[in-house]
């Protein structure tokens, strides 16, 4: 049997984690909504500028990058709300206890995938190698990692600024999965 204060501590930690997940989800929802509005504005500006014979070619590229940012924010938000597509034919026929076990198994697999993703991102972004490098150009040539050097085609920005959504998604995804670990979606009940 656990010590009397242990259950309260774990519930307190879980409640704090849930509040943090809810706060992150709130930000993600607003961010994704703003991205959709920005994409709409960019595409509308491009249509109008083309009608006047002065196309803004950079708007298409920026719209694509913003769609990627919005997709990752939406994917993380889907984890927070347990709204991703799922085949529930088997789990719908199971009892409450078995459904909770299945939810824990799924969440464990998700955490393992996020851990693998985090490891891959750490190797790709190589923050320690970049910080230790005297020159970014020399680092890129030595490591063949041009992540920090590659520019966008029309925007003149480095692509790394858009790729930073990947570690953010990894971190927020882990927070959302941990906050709802083992819980069953309300739709499944």
């Amino acid at each position: 049997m656990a010590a009397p204060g242990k259950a309260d501590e774990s519930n307190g930690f879980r409640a704090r984690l849930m509040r943090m997940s809810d706060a992150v989800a709130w930000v993600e929802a607003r961010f994704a909504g703003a991205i959709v509005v920005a994409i709409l504005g960019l595409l509308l500006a491009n249509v109008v500028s083309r009608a006047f014979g002065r196309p803004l070619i950079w708007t298409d590229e920026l719209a694509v990058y913003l769609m990627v940012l919005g997709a990752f924010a939406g994917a993380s938000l889907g984890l927070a709300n347990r709204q991703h597509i799922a085949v529930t034919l088997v789990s719908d026929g199971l009892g409450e206890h078995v459904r909770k076990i299945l939810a824990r198994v799924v969440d464990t697999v998700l955490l393992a995938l996020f851990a693998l993703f985090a490891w891959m991102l750490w190797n790709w972004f190589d923050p320690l190698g970049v910080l230790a490098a005297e020159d970014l150009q020399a680092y890129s040539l030595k490591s063949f990692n041009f992540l920090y050097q590659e520019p966008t085609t029309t925007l003149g920005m480095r692509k790394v600024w858009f790729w930073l959504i990947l570690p953010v998604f990894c971190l927020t995804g882990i927070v959302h999965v941990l906050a709802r670990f083992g819980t069953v979606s309300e739709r499944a009940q």
Side-chain angles (χ1 to χ4, degrees):
M1 186 170 166
K6 279 288 190 205
D8 293 338
E9 286 176 20
S10 67
N11 285 342
F13 175 73
R14 178 98 179 218
R16 284 193 305 273
L17 196 57
M18 191 62 143
R19 282 193 304 273
M20 183 168 59
S21 174
D22 290 342
V24 168
W26 184 89
V27 170
E28 289 169 337
R30 271 73 189 160
F31 178 73
I35 291 287
V36 169
V37 170
I39 292 169
L40 179 64
L42 284 170
L43 296 179
L44 186 59
N46 196 16
V47 167
V48 170
S49 68
R50 285 180 192 269
F52 288 110
R54 296 272 194 197
L56 302 171
I57 59 171
W58 56 269
T59 58
D60 289 335
E61 184 180 25
L62 183 55
V64 168
Y65 285 123
L66 290 179
M67 282 186 236
V68 171
L69 296 178
F72 278 104
S76 182
L77 187 59
L79 286 171
N81 297 326
R82 289 199 180 266
Q83 292 178 331
H84 281 287
I85 296 172
V87 179
T88 61
L89 182 65
V90 173
S91 63
D92 288 346
L94 300 174
E96 177 85 22
H97 179 68
V98 179
R99 251 189 284 161
K100 285 186 179 184
I101 292 171
L102 186 59
R104 286 188 184 115
V105 169
V106 168
D107 288 340
T108 302
V109 169
L110 269 173
L111 287 174
L113 288 172
F114 273 118
L116 177 63
F117 188 45
W119 175 77
M120 290 171 27
L121 287 171
W122 181 263
N123 288 326
W124 187 36
F125 278 84
D126 189 20
L128 299 179
V130 170
L131 290 173
E134 292 177 19
D135 177 35
L136 200 53
Q137 182 71 25
Y139 165 79
S140 297
L141 292 174
K142 181 181 174 194
S143 67
F144 295 107
N145 184 352
F146 295 93
L147 170 74
Y148 298 97
Q149 297 290 100
E150 190 175 358
T152 57
T153 305
T154 60
L155 296 171
M157 296 174 62
R158 293 195 176 160
K159 288 183 181 177
V160 69
W161 296 112
F162 297 103
W163 290 334
L164 286 173
I165 192 66
L166 295 173
V168 170
F169 166 71
C170 186
L171 183 64
T172 60
I174 289 170
V175 167
H176 294 319
V177 172
L178 285 174
R180 287 152 181 83
F181 190 86
T183 61
V184 179
S185 172
E186 291 88 29
R187 291 179 297 166
Q189 293 177 349

